[in-house]
Amino acid sequence: MTTTHTPTTTEGAPAPAVKSRGTLYLLSSLGGQNLSLIGALVLVLALFGFLNDNYLSLSNLQVIGEAATITGLLAVVQTVVIICGGLDISVGSQAGLASVVSAMVFTSGGSNPYLGMAAAIGVGVLVGVVNGVVIVHGRVNPTIATLAGLAAYKGVAQLVSGGRAQGYVLNDPLFVFLGRGKIAGVPVMIWILAIVALAVHVLLTYTDIGRNVYAIGGNDTAARLAGININKYLVAVYALIGVVAAVAGILLTARTGSGQPVSGSEGLELKAITAAALGGCALKGGKGGIGGTLLAVALLGALENGLTVQGINTFWQNVAQGALLVAAVVIQQRRSGERAVGLPH
């Protein structure tokens, strides 16, 4: 009987062919989308690092991470709702409303940070459920429903705050810890993003709930015939968005030192959607992942910081975000074989 041996080198290590197979497996597991994002991120870091000696310093990298945390939190839950076949344009306004509520309740409640944070999360759950109910039971398109929410929640935040920053939380140790503290040398805000992202990744990848979310986004008719209660899932997903948006609002309060009805939260919805689309989420649903979204958040954060460091007008950052969103959608359409609008097959 002939025995087959795995080829080895003279030192007993696996042969190059075995190593190459391992490398190919690693690359295939990352996926082409993520490899492209990694390449783009490395290119951006290298470019701005060459242009500015302090860009790649540890302190500036931490600044990039902290600035991207709030966007990252909203992008993570935006990923979930897009996979489910929906969309939430109101996440920035939800974060702004939660920021105001957390600071105002903190101030009026005897400087109790737990009371302020609990109130913010309660408001987050409420607005998330409202979005879900309007979409499911009102049968309103998610884009229209959350576009209305974008205006409504921003208006409520401005009404209760008088359009001004509210409260002052920088004399509270817990808010200071959340906004400026570090654990093992890493800012607490980044740890919070990592924990939320990991929890959502596990939920999507290793649970029946996650598989049902992908099924709903991929083919809602088949999901309904399989016995999945789509209405409950959609309301729950929008409630989850409300909770995480409230956490983002609390961090916004902790970072700025007061409740911000608009400043700091305006435009976050565009960043979140752009990150999810760049990260590989199919806007029609059923496809996407947290890893790609986080890479896209890092890319956007690195690009935004680099433009700021170079003294480039901040308006160009909006131009760059819009261009990246269009590019992401164009790439998706090309890969899916979707025909051009108005043209024959």
Side-chain angles (χ1 to χ4, degrees), residues 6-19:
T6 302
T8 59
T9 61
T10 54
E11 291 82 7
V18 177
K19 290 182 179 179

Side-chain angles (χ1 to χ4, degrees), residues 180-240:
R180 308 186 181 192
K182 293 183 180 180
I183 298 175
V186 178
V188 172
M189 294 179 65
I190 296 178
W191 281 111
I192 292 173
L193 172 60
I195 291 170
V196 171
L198 179 61
V200 174
H201 171 73
V202 170
L203 179 71
L204 288 176
T205 309
Y206 301 106
T207 69
D208 289 337
I209 293 175
R211 285 185 281 273
N212 290 343
V213 166
Y214 278 101
I216 292 170
N219 189 326
D220 59 346
T221 302
R224 184 177 290 106
L225 293 175
I228 299 173
N229 191 323
I230 296 177
N231 290 349
K232 287 185 178 179
Y233 267 88
L234 287 174
V235 173
V237 165
Y238 281 99
L240 173 65

Side-chain angles (χ1 to χ4, degrees), residues 98 101-107 112-121 175 250:
V101 169
S102 66
M104 292 183 70
V105 173
F106 165 79
T107 302
N112 187 331
Y114 300 102
L115 186 61
M117 293 176 192
I121 291 175
F175 273 108
I250 291 168

Side-chain angles (χ1 to χ4, degrees), residues 32-33 36-37 277-278 280-281 287 323-338:
Q33 180 83 19
S36 300
L37 288 171
L278 275 176
C281 283
K287 181 182 177 183
L324 286 172
L325 179 56
V326 171
V329 175
V330 168
I331 291 170
Q332 284 184 18
Q333 298 295 84
R334 293 290 185 181
R335 287 180 173 175
S336 65
E338 187 92 4

Side-chain angles (χ1 to χ4, degrees), residues 22-48:
T23 302
L24 289 173
Y25 175 77
L26 177 61
L27 293 176
S28 64
S29 64
L30 286 172
Q33 180 83 19
N34 290 351
L35 286 174
S36 300
L37 288 171
I38 292 171
L41 178 59
V42 170
L43 182 62
V44 168
L45 292 174
L47 173 62
F48 287 114

Side-chain angles (χ1 to χ4, degrees), residues 69-311:
T69 296
I70 294 174
T71 301
L73 287 169
L74 299 180
V76 164
V77 286
Q78 192 74 248
T79 298
V80 178
V81 75
I82 290 176
I83 290 172
C84 203
L87 191 68
D88 196 335
I89 304 177
S90 67
V91 288
S93 294
Q94 291 182 49
L97 178 58
S99 175
V100 168
V101 169
S102 66
M104 292 183 70
V105 173
F106 165 79
T107 302
S108 61
S111 297
N112 187 331
Y114 300 102
L115 186 61
M117 293 176 192
I121 291 175
V123 168
V125 172
L126 176 62
V127 298
V129 170
V130 167
N131 279 347
V133 169
V134 168
I135 290 167
V136 170
H137 298 290
R139 299 183 181 182
V140 180
N141 180 280
T143 302
I144 301 301
T146 56
L147 183 61
L150 168 69
Y153 304 143
K154 182 188 294 184
V156 172
Q158 291 173 322
L159 282 172
V160 299
S161 66
R164 301 183 299 274
Q166 293 292 319
Y168 181 76
V169 302
L170 291 183
N171 57 0
D172 180 78
L174 180 56
F175 273 108
V176 172
F177 175 71
L178 291 176
R180 308 186 181 192
K182 293 183 180 180
I183 298 175
V186 178
V188 172
M189 294 179 65
I190 296 178
W191 281 111
I192 292 173
L193 172 60
I195 291 170
V196 171
L198 179 61
V200 174
H201 171 73
V202 170
L203 179 71
L204 288 176
T205 309
Y206 301 106
T207 69
D208 289 337
I209 293 175
R211 285 185 281 273
N212 290 343
V213 166
Y214 278 101
I216 292 170
N219 189 326
D220 59 346
T221 302
R224 184 177 290 106
L225 293 175
I228 299 173
N229 191 323
I230 296 177
N231 290 349
K232 287 185 178 179
Y233 267 88
L234 287 174
V235 173
V237 165
Y238 281 99
L240 173 65
I241 291 176
V243 171
V244 177
V247 172
I250 291 168
L251 293 182
L252 178 61
T253 300
R255 192 175 179 217
T256 60
S258 59
Q260 302 292 331
V262 176
S263 178
S265 61
E266 195 165 26
L268 288 176
E269 53 282 327
L270 174 61
K271 291 181 180 179
I273 294 170
T274 301
L278 275 176
C281 283
L283 296 181
K284 292 184 176 180
K287 181 182 177 183
I290 301 303
T293 296
L294 290 180
L295 284 172
V297 168
L299 175 61
L300 291 173
L303 179 61
E304 182 177 334
N305 181 269
L307 294 174
T308 302
V309 167
Q310 289 304 117

